[in-house]
Amino acid sequence: MKDGDKAGLSDRLSPGVILLFAVAGGLSVANIYYAQPLLEVMARDLSISPASIGIVVTVTQIGYALGLIFIVPLGDLLERRRLIVGQAILSSVALIIVSQAPTATVLLVGMVAVGLLAVVVQVLVAFAASLAAPAERGRVVGSVTSGIVIGILLARFVSGVLADLGGWRSVYLASAMLTLLMAALLSRTLPRQEQGSEVPSYPALLRSMLVLFIEEPVLRIRAIIGLLIFATFSTFWTSIVLPLSAPPLLLSHTEVGLLGLAGVAGALAAGGAGRMADQGQGQRTTGISLSLMLVAWIPIVLTRVSLWALIVGVIVLDLAIQAVHVTNQSMIFAVRPEARSRLVAGYMVFYSLGSASGSIASTLVYSWAGWTGVCVLGAALSTLALLFWAATRHVTGAAHSTRHVNSSERGASSRTSEQLVASPSRQAR
């Protein structure tokens, strides 16, 4: 894309379009999390044993991981508007299949497809970053990411309410209708992108993802930080229902779901991290946020004593994690403007690994050491993330500055799409 074309696209990235990106991202990612409070009723309806119903979440995550590897990189190959709209339409079909699933087998196949297509959220993030002016990229990414996080946090609550009103199938049917409506809005609103005259091959595109990890220390470091912060995020949100639903608190599922509203407050506040990243303060934002993430476990450990302490801890924890997440993406997007879809795909693979490992570890620790043990685990992960950042901040600090961003943008416009993919591959060989 030429510099003049990019300037024109940036002008079209109005607040309304940014809001559309955020809502579309939140709706897409919510599809992954709707099932978590519905597992029991799903198992009963489809005659799945309680011990096996967890496979629904597992296959959804498997589909999501496959989508990160094989679909998201297509954003650097295909016209992003068509790719996004096509994924949204197919996602609505997958959601309808889930809503009408007569057997467990059909349900699992549908959930794999739901996870596979939910990665459209990462294509949306990369597209928004490409449309934004370099000086505003962090703010735009922060706004879209806030919408995504709100979708994650509200998914459990919304699915519980809809299931109470119309059964678990109504959750997926309603989401299918909303997704189809969103596809129409995106088709009418998103700008088109002109493709270069030379288009790289799909195998070369996939190979270049590994090359990016080899060549770019910022991507490697920020991916590991991403893994640690989302292991922390998952450690908390996977296991918090256990102490809240047990004596002496005995909260209902709806009441537990309301805790997500506190997380929304933190996610909204994290939008400022993008603006700080735009000003070249990504490292400072990371250090402060990781410190807050560690401090948040102090009120969280008091959950059984005070729900107000828990709420404060949730707000601080989600604020810190999302601030680091926004900063991570802003910094890696500045590295290779021509490869933003592949960069976010590689980064989000580590996100998925962190989420999965945090979920497994927290439930195991809770069965062994209770809620205090979970809090110790979360604090340990937070400490590890802070120490890793401190040990590597000199590497990433020089990479993220306004001068670097601008020079990357200028360098990107002077090379063809084929050279951008093939060049790192040749270097690797």
Side-chain angles (χ1 to χ4, degrees):
M1 183 182 298
K2 297 179 180 179
D3 291 340
D5 295 336
K6 186 172 181 62
L9 287 176
S10 181
D11 292 340
R12 296 174 65 180
L13 196 59
S14 65
V17 175
I18 295 174
L19 178 61
L20 181 63
F21 271 106
V23 174
L27 179 62
S28 299
V29 77
N31 291 327
I32 304 174
Y33 295 93
Y34 286 139
Q36 290 185 352
L38 306 176
L39 294 178
E40 182 181 357
V41 66
M42 282 178 158
R44 189 166 58 248
D45 187 31
L46 296 174
S47 300
I48 305 173
S49 69
S52 302
I53 191 60
I55 191 67
V56 171
V57 176
T58 301
V59 298
T60 307
Q61 291 295 334
I62 290 173
Y64 191 76
L66 292 174
L68 288 172
I69 297 171
F70 295 106
I71 294 181
V72 175
L74 288 172
D76 293 331
L77 176 62
L78 305 178
E79 203 273 316
R80 286 194 178 112
R81 175 180 167 275
R82 289 185 179 180
L83 180 61
I84 289 169
V85 173
Q87 282 183 262
I89 293 172
L90 291 175
S91 183
S92 66
V93 173
L95 290 164
I96 291 174
I97 291 173
V98 170
S99 72
Q100 304 300 315
T103 65
T105 300
V106 175
L107 173 69
L108 294 178
V109 171
M111 293 305 293
V112 170
V114 166
L116 184 73
L117 295 163
V119 296
V120 66
V121 65
Q122 304 308 328
V123 183
L124 284 163
V125 172
F127 195 13
S130 297
L131 296 176
E136 298 182 346
R137 183 168 298 121
R139 178 182 64 83
V140 171
V141 170
S143 298
V144 177
T145 301
S146 292
I148 293 169
V149 175
I150 290 170
I152 294 173
L153 295 173
L154 291 183
R156 301 174 183 88
F157 174 68
V158 171
S159 65
V161 171
L162 289 178
D164 287 340
L165 294 174
W168 72 267
R169 296 177 185 273
S170 69
V171 176
Y172 291 95
L173 189 59
S175 184
M177 298 301 103
L178 287 174
T179 301
L180 200 57
L181 176 61
M182 185 58 65
L185 290 174
L186 292 170
S187 179
R188 291 176 59 87
T189 306
L190 295 184
R192 296 180 181 271
Q193 285 184 302
E194 294 183 6
Q195 295 301 101
S197 57
E198 296 183 42
V199 180
S201 67
Y202 182 58
L205 198 73
L206 296 181
R207 287 196 301 271
S208 69
M209 287 181 62
L210 178 59
V211 175
L212 286 170
F213 272 101
I214 295 172
E215 294 183 345
E216 301 296 344
V218 174
L219 177 58
R220 294 195 301 270
I221 290 169
R222 288 287 152 172
I224 293 173
I225 292 175
L227 183 151
L228 291 171
I229 64 172
F230 281 105
T232 304
F233 181 88
S234 189
T235 292
F236 174 79
W237 285 105
T238 298
S239 56
I240 185 59
V241 67
L242 300 175
L244 292 182
S245 59
L249 297 174
L250 294 173
L251 299 185
S252 68
H253 288 294
T254 300
E255 290 171 329
V256 173
L258 287 172
L259 188 61
L261 298 179
V264 168
L268 289 173
R275 288 187 290 273
M276 293 184 68
D278 290 335
Q279 297 167 5
Q281 300 185 56
Q283 289 294 353
R284 181 184 178 190
T285 303
T286 303
I288 293 172
S289 300
L290 291 176
S291 299
L292 287 174
M293 187 172 76
L294 175 58
V295 170
W297 289 99
I298 297 174
I300 289 174
V301 77
L302 301 175
T303 294
R304 295 182 184 275
V305 178
S306 171
L307 289 178
W308 286 111
L310 172 63
I311 291 172
V312 170
V314 168
I315 293 174
V316 175
L317 184 70
D318 275 14
L319 165 63
I321 289 173
Q322 300 315 320
V324 178
H325 184 43
V326 170
T327 303
N328 284 349
Q329 292 180 95
S330 181
M331 293 179 75
I332 65 172
F333 283 149
V335 173
R336 294 281 185 92
E338 80 283 354
R340 289 190 176 119
S341 291
R342 283 165 284 163
L343 288 168
V344 75
Y347 170 74
M348 291 302 295
V349 167
F350 280 73
Y351 159 101
S352 296
L353 291 173
S355 295
S357 59
S359 295
I360 295 171
S362 65
T363 52
L364 290 175
V365 169
Y366 187 86
S367 64
W368 173 62
W371 182 242
T372 301
V374 170
C375 291
V376 170
L377 172 64
L381 290 169
S382 301
T383 301
L384 183 58
L386 184 60
L387 292 175
F388 180 79
W389 166 79
T392 59
R393 68 184 187 277
H394 66 284
V395 177
T396 56
H400 189 65
S401 65
T402 302
R403 178 177 57 81
H404 177 80
V405 171
N406 291 335
S407 64
S408 297
E409 294 288 351
R410 289 193 297 270
S413 64
S414 64
R415 293 178 287 176
T416 65
S417 298
E418 179 62 39
Q419 290 171 328
L420 295 173
V421 175
S423 176
S425 299
R426 286 195 295 268
Q427 291 174 18
R429 291 195 293 270

